[in-house]
Structures are given as structure tokens and as C-alpha cells.
Amino acid sequence: MLDLLIKHATLPDGTTGTDIACANGTITAIEPGITAEAARTIDATGRLVSPPFIDPHFHMDATLSLGRPRMNESGTLLEGIALWGELKEIQTVEEIVERALAYCDIAVSMGIGAIRSHVDTCDDRLTGVQALLEVREKVKDYLDLQLVAFPQDGVLRDKTAMENTIRALDMGVDVVGGIPHFERTMSDGTESVRRLCEIAAERGLMVDMHCDESDDPHSRHVEALAYETQRLGLQGRVAGSHLTSMHSMDNYYVSKLIALMAESELRVIPNPLINIMLQGRHDTYPKRRGQTRVRELRDAGLTVGFGSDCVKDPWYSLGCADMLDVAAMGLHVGQLSSRADMRWCFDAVTVNSAEIMGLEGYGLAKGCKANLVVLQAPDPIEAIRLRATRLFVIRRGKVIAETPASTARLAMSGRPETLDPST
Ligand code: FE2
């Protein structure tokens, strides 16, 4: 007997009228007309059924801390970093665990199945690392949490950051992070990229660096990251997060840079909500948007996944774990408005980000993990347009979150009584 049978699903690739059978935590069949008995049957009635949303860039040690100890008045990245420094001094392991678990609940309800979270290693007590390692274990049955050792204050700029980053990796943090644009000089930034990539190569780990998160057209750290990736044979295992300086770079230089990035199989993680909010702050008008060159990077064959970065923390007061909102912002800022481009934006918060995180068994095929989301929308474009309700969130063939369909009751005479926004 099946654990779950989903009837009449539409898949992200446009296939309609498909049934999905789930048993022992995996998809055992995906085809029309499955009639096997199941412990639970869901009739999707033609709605979109997708593998879960994947958030490839987040800061779970800071989330839901808004206002503690104070607000970011300027709204800038640099005041956010200063404010985070104040919060780090006072927050406890217990407090971070409690906030992170609360966020994971929200994320699951919004159909997120995996999160890559950076965790600050510039802290001699490694408070965030202790907390998030505990959280990774606590949530593993319902959410995949991958942790990046992130020396927020600069691995060379901060005296004990290198030692603490290595300690964090020894404790079980999964990925090597960095922030070369926050080092004191361009050459220190380059040196930080070299040393951190070497650590990853020695340990067989992936790399994900906050890279060139500025409006500086002369920032060159992504070039260093691509170069080190090739030198150390790390192709396909290295991601550059943000890359906002590419927005402002000279077009000739970018044409050379993108080719180098493609050769290095670099992964690219823009964070549209945060990039549009934080970049261009030194501009009057015209004011730069600050999102990296998503279309050009994608067209060069690079894998691009959108991240959410922040929810209610020192950098960003808003956010609600809605990867469709992230996709919508990336779509607008990148002017990705053709039908094919909009469908690609859905991939950027699902399959592309799963590939970036190296998730195994992700997808909609026989043998994949039975991790699914049923959305109140007929297709990926409509899902983005509507920020569609996550009707059912399924993990290993079990429903772990449900949200009632969004409907409005109308009271105008002559109009239908109820309105389903997805029809
Ligand atoms: Fe970040």
C-alpha cells in the first residue's frame, strides 16, 4: 500500500494529469491513472505539484532578531554588520536555537525543503555555530539544513577568525565561506579567497563566499574565486553569493569575467530582495539596482539560484520565507519577463538551488525523495504571480504542513459568491 497518492497534478514542466505515488519516503511512480491503494490521497485537481523550494543563501543565526538590541536606522549593509556585532555580544545559544527553530517552522509551512545558512565564525565562543549545529540535528527529519562557516568580519581582518573558522569546520559545519570585499584591501581579499579555497580543497568541502557585495565596479574577488576554483580543481563545488559589483562593472571586463566563471563552473547566488534594498545606497539618481547580471550568467551556462538571505534581522526588516516572493523580485529586477524567463525564475528557487546545494534525490522522478509541494496555482508563472498558497507540504511521503486555499467571499449582487484567485 502507498503512503500517499497525489492525483491529477500539473508538473513544473507543463505535464498535466499526472499522478504521483509515494511509498517508503520515495516517489515510486509518476504517471497518469495510478489506482493503487494509499493511506492518504490528495486530489490536486490540476494544480501545480513541485519539488520543494530551496533557499541557497540564508543567515539563520540572525533571523527573527529584528530590533535587538536596536534598529538599523540607515538601512545600510555596513550599519547592519555593526548592529550584528552588538547582537553577537549578547545573544545566547538558547536564544539562537529558539529563533532558528521558529524560522524553520515558518520555512516548512512555506514549502521550503532545504536551506543553506551561513553561520558567523567571528566569535571566540562560536555561539552561532553551536546553536545551528544543534538546530541542524533537531530539524533533519523535516528540513535539510546545510551550514557555511562564515567569517563575517573578514577571515584576515579579524584576528581569530581563521582559527575559529577552522574550529567550526572541525565541529561539523559543511561548507567554507568568506567575505573578501570586507577585508582591508583588494589584495587581502584575494589572499582570503586563496586561503579559504585551499582549506576547502584539503577537506573536500564546497565553498560559498559572499563575494563582491558592493557597488564597486573595480571589485575583482569573483575573478579570484573563479581562478582559485580552477587552480585547485574545485569546479562545480564553488558558489559566489551576491556578486552585486558585477552590476556596475565595465561591459568589456564582464565579457571576459563571465567566460572565466563558466570555465570554473561557478555557482551564482543572487539575493534579490536584499540586493535591491541594500545596493545603490551611495547613488543619487540614476540609482543602481545592484542585482548581478542574472540573464547573462544564465545564458553563459552558469547555474543561478536565488536566495532569500535575511528575514527580520539587522539587515532587513521584512521577508516571510516566501521563495516565490524572492523569485518575483529577481524576475522584476532582472527584467526576466518572457514566458520562458519567468518559468526559469521558478527553477531558480527550486531545481537550480538544489543543484547548488548538492542535494541528492531531489526532483520529480521515480526514485527521488517524496518531498513535494502542492500549490494553489496552475503553473510556475501563476505560482510566482500569486505567491501561491502552499496547500500541502510533503516530506518523505507524509504531509507535514497544510494551509487552506485562499478564497475571498464576495457580497456584490450578481457576482459569484466566492473567488479563488488562482482561477
Ligand atoms: Fe548573506
Side-chain angles (χ1 to χ4, degrees):
M1 181 155 103
L2 301 174
D3 297 325
L4 177 70
L5 177 60
I6 300 177
K7 300 287 291 177
H8 311 116
T10 297
L11 306 184
D13 68 2
T15 306
T16 56
T18 298
D19 297 348
I20 305 171
C22 308
N24 301 317
T26 60
I27 296 173
T28 54
I30 179 160
E31 59 198 37
I34 299 174
T35 53
E37 248 188 85
R40 182 163 185 182
T41 300
I42 293 171
D43 189 348
T45 62
R47 284 166 166 158
L48 179 64
V49 179
S50 167
F53 297 111
I54 307 297
D55 186 354
H57 189 114
F58 196 64
H59 293 266
M60 206 176 277
D61 48 357
T63 195
L64 304 183
S65 68
L66 183 68
R68 180 156 154 76
R70 62 181 175 84
M71 289 289 179
N72 179 344
E73 294 299 336
S74 68
T76 60
L77 173 66
L78 294 181
E79 187 178 342
I81 293 175
L83 176 50
W84 170 241
E86 294 167 33
L87 177 58
K88 266 199 298 189
E89 291 294 315
I90 55 171
Q91 67 177 356
T92 62
V93 171
E94 294 71 27
E95 185 182 337
I96 301 170
V97 168
E98 192 177 328
R99 289 200 317 252
L101 288 174
Y103 182 76
C104 290
D105 288 348
I106 297 167
V108 165
S109 76
M110 296 301 280
I112 292 178
I115 299 174
R116 173 181 279 182
S117 174
H118 295 254
V119 52
D120 193 349
T121 55
C122 290
D123 165 14
D124 290 341
R125 298 166 300 154
L126 289 178
T127 313
V129 172
Q130 290 180 58
L132 293 194
L133 285 169
E134 186 180 327
V135 171
R136 185 179 68 182
E137 182 62 23
K138 281 192 161 134
V139 302
K140 68 180 181 193
D141 289 340
Y142 56 89
L143 182 72
D144 297 314
L145 180 57
Q146 191 179 69
L147 300 176
V148 185
F150 174 48
Q152 169 79 73
D153 300 329
V155 78
L156 300 179
R157 180 172 173 165
D158 179 277
K159 282 192 184 67
T160 52
M162 182 63 84
E163 181 190 330
N164 288 333
T165 301
I166 290 169
R167 275 174 60 211
L169 295 170
D170 288 342
M171 287 163 73
V173 171
D174 308 282
V175 179
V176 179
I179 186 165
H181 56 276
F182 199 65
E183 301 290 354
R184 287 291 191 196
T185 63
M186 196 63 75
S187 60
D188 268 9
T190 305
E191 175 68 5
S192 78
V193 171
R194 185 181 68 78
R195 288 172 64 177
L196 289 163
C197 284
E198 285 176 353
I199 289 169
E202 281 160 18
R203 292 171 177 248
L205 299 177
M206 291 191 284
V207 175
D208 186 341
M209 289 201 196
H210 285 65
C211 199
D212 295 337
E213 189 184 1
S214 74
D215 298 311
D216 177 2
H218 302 296
S219 200
R220 293 290 180 264
H221 301 304
V222 65
E223 177 185 278
L225 187 63
Y227 174 80
E228 291 300 330
T229 299
Q230 285 200 29
R231 183 177 72 84
L232 296 164
L234 295 171
Q235 287 91 339
R237 285 164 45 192
V238 177
S241 280
H242 295 296
L243 310 183
T244 51
S245 62
M246 287 185 72
H247 186 95
S248 299
M249 283 174 182
D250 171 72
N251 287 333
Y252 172 76
Y253 172 69
V254 168
S255 69
K256 186 164 167 266
L257 174 65
I258 290 181
L260 173 68
M261 292 167 70
E263 281 171 23
S264 307
E265 296 169 44
L266 221 60
R267 305 328 196 189
V268 176
I269 308 173
N271 295 285
L273 294 169
I274 307 309
N275 298 155
I276 196 72
M277 184 63 100
L278 296 183
Q279 300 307 311
R281 292 273 177 158
H282 290 73
D283 294 356
T284 53
Y285 290 94
K287 199 183 262 291
R288 284 169 288 181
R289 293 167 180 228
Q291 183 164 284
T292 195
R293 302 190 189 205
V294 172
R295 178 193 301 282
E296 292 76 8
L297 289 160
R298 178 201 65 183
D299 290 351
L302 289 128
T303 302
V304 182
F306 291 145
S308 69
D309 204 3
C310 303
V311 170
K312 292 186 79 174
D313 70 7
W315 294 274
Y316 189 60
S317 299
L318 306 173
C320 58
D322 188 347
M323 296 309 293
L324 291 170
D325 202 35
V326 172
M329 183 60 80
L331 182 161
H332 283 84
V333 179
Q335 297 179 331
L336 295 159
S337 56
S338 74
R339 305 299 287 175
D341 283 344
M342 289 194 284
R343 278 192 293 272
W344 178 86
C345 288
F346 190 86
D347 292 346
V349 292
T350 52
V351 285
N352 294 5
S353 295
E355 183 188 329
I356 290 169
M357 285 184 64
L359 298 180
E360 287 174 10
Y362 178 90
L364 284 177
K366 187 177 171 181
C368 287
K369 291 178 182 169
N371 298 340
L372 303 160
V373 186
V374 182
L375 292 148
Q376 189 186 356
D379 61 52
I381 296 172
E382 285 292 285
I384 293 174
R385 183 179 75 84
L386 295 161
R387 319 295 196 271
T389 300
R390 286 67 167 166
L391 300 170
F392 299 95
V393 179
I394 294 147
R395 175 88 170 180
R396 308 311 302 263
K398 304 268 186 328
V399 174
I400 59 169
E402 286 182 57
T403 306
S406 167
T407 55
R409 241 176 218 298
L410 302 179
M412 303 97 79
S413 71
R415 304 297 305 162
E417 232 177 53
T418 57
L419 174 75
D420 176 345
S422 70
T423 55

